[in-house]
Amino acid sequence: MEKLVEQVWDYTKHAKFYSYRPNYAPKTIDILIILVGGKNLKVADIGAGTGNLSIILLERNCNVVSVELNDAMREIGIERTKGQSIEWVRATGIDSTLENSCFDWVTFGSSFNVMDRNEALNEAHRLLKKGGYFSCMWNHRDLNDPMQKIAEDTIIEFVPNYTRGTRREDQRPIIEARKDLFDNIVYIEEDFYFHQSIKNYINAWRSVKNPYWDLETKEGNELFEKISQKITERLPKEFDIKYTTRCWSAKKI
C-alpha cells in the first residue's frame, strides 16, 4: 500500500506560484479529447490545483467539475475560471464526493502521484460511465535540454541524493495491475518549448513540494535560496526551455 500523501503535503504556500508552471501540451489534450469521445465531455478533474488542466479543458468546451482539497489552491482556481462552465468541489482524490457513473473522463493533472494510486483508480472507476476514460499526466523537465541540465546539475551540487519521485515513474504497471477496472491503455508523449524569464523559472520552482527543501522551514528556505541563486547566475535572463508532457490513459471496463 502506498503512503497517502494528499492530506499530508500542504501546498498552501506553493499555490500562488503554480501559474508560473508551463501548462500541458495542447495537441496532447486535443488527441485525448478525440480518444475519449469528442465534444461536450463531462470531466472530473481530480487534484485540480489552481486550475491549469481545468482551464485547457474549458477552452475545449468540456463541462468540468474540479476537485481540490487545498483551500488556497482552490480559491485561485475559482478566481481563474470565474464565469465559466465549471464547478469546484473541496474533497480528496480518493473520496471526491461526486456521483457514480456520471463522467466521460476523469483526469489527474500532476496529482496522481500525491495520493494512493490504487485507491485513486478505484475512485476514477466509480465516477466514470462505462467506456469512459481515466488519464494521468505530468510535465517533465527534459533533462537533455541544456537549460534544464544546468538547473539539474546545480540542484545535485546541493542535494546529492536528489530524485524526482513517483511522478517520473512509468504509470503503466499501476494501471495494468487493475485489469479488473481498466484496459486499452494509451500512452502519449509530446515535447514542447516554453519561453521563460529566469525570475519566473525560479518562481515555478517555488511551486514544487519535495522532501529536500521544505519552504515551511528556515533550513528549507535557506537551501532553496542557495540553489536558486546559483541557477540564476548560470542561466540567461530569458530562454526557451524544453518540457515533455507525458500522459497515460485507460478505458473503464
Side-chain angles (χ1 to χ4, degrees), residues 1-252:
M1 180 68 72
E2 294 183 282
K3 181 183 178 184
L4 174 62
V5 294
E6 187 181 28
Q7 292 174 294
V8 176
W9 285 20
D10 184 356
Y11 283 83
T12 300
K13 289 196 174 182
H14 305 259
K16 64 184 177 182
F17 299 109
Y18 265 72
S19 62
Y20 296 102
R21 290 187 177 195
N23 218 327
Y24 303 98
K27 288 180 182 177
T28 291
I29 305 301
D30 293 338
I31 292 167
L32 290 170
I33 285 177
I34 294 168
L35 173 72
V36 176
K39 297 179 179 179
N40 302 315
L41 298 173
K42 188 170 183 183
V43 186
D45 187 21
I46 306 296
T50 61
N52 280 1
L53 179 55
S54 296
I55 287 168
I56 295 182
L57 298 174
L58 289 169
E59 290 170 350
R60 286 153 178 78
N61 299 313
C62 295
N63 299 302
V64 182
V65 179
S66 296
V67 176
E68 175 54 51
L69 182 64
N70 183 270
D71 293 335
M73 298 185 82
R74 194 178 62 259
E75 285 165 11
I76 293 171
I78 290 169
E79 183 63 29
R80 293 177 75 197
T81 57
K82 190 179 290 184
Q84 301 192 60
S85 178
I86 187 168
E87 175 187 355
W88 283 85
V89 175
R90 186 183 193 276
T92 71
I94 61 172
D95 184 15
S96 68
T97 74
L98 306 180
E99 291 184 45
N100 293 348
S101 308
C102 283
F103 294 89
D104 303 299
W105 194 11
V106 174
T107 59
F108 294 77
S110 303
S111 59
F112 193 51
N113 59 300
V114 300
M115 60 190 78
D116 185 299
R117 289 176 289 176
N118 190 54
E119 290 188 36
L121 288 172
N122 287 337
E123 182 70 353
H125 188 270
R126 182 184 72 78
L127 296 176
L128 285 167
K129 301 172 184 176
K130 184 172 176 59
Y133 275 83
F134 149 87
S135 293
C136 61
M137 67 190 77
W138 292 265
N139 282 335
H140 291 158
R141 294 179 298 121
D142 186 326
L143 302 180
N144 294 315
D145 175 79
M147 303 297 174
Q148 298 282 27
K149 189 172 189 314
I150 289 169
E152 182 81 0
D153 290 347
T154 303
I155 291 167
I156 290 170
E157 281 179 29
F158 289 93
V159 188
N161 62 332
Y162 180 74
T163 62
R164 289 165 294 278
T166 307
R167 70 192 316 276
R168 278 273 175 172
E169 293 177 6
D170 181 2
Q171 306 301 315
R172 174 178 282 271
I174 297 291
I175 303 167
E176 283 187 332
R178 297 308 308 272
K179 286 187 176 176
D180 57 322
L181 303 182
F182 292 98
D183 204 352
N184 301 91
I185 297 173
V186 175
Y187 175 67
I188 302 173
E189 179 176 304
E190 181 184 351
D191 297 340
F192 66 98
Y193 284 89
F194 185 65
H195 188 76
Q196 191 75 294
S197 69
I198 185 61
K199 181 180 178 181
N200 288 350
Y201 182 66
I202 296 300
N203 278 333
W205 273 105
R206 292 183 192 278
S207 73
V208 173
K209 185 82 172 178
N210 67 34
Y212 305 107
W213 56 81
D214 182 355
L215 298 182
E216 299 282 340
T217 68
K218 181 174 180 286
E219 294 80 7
N221 268 296
E222 287 175 354
L223 176 57
F224 179 79
E225 289 305 322
K226 288 176 183 176
I227 293 170
S228 60
Q229 184 179 343
K230 279 293 181 188
I231 292 175
T232 300
E233 290 170 4
R234 292 170 177 176
L235 290 181
K237 289 183 178 179
E238 290 200 15
F239 44 85
D240 290 319
I241 196 160
K242 192 175 182 183
Y243 292 85
T244 303
T245 293
R246 292 190 171 97
C247 178
W248 290 260
S249 301
K251 188 176 183 179
K252 175 178 176 175

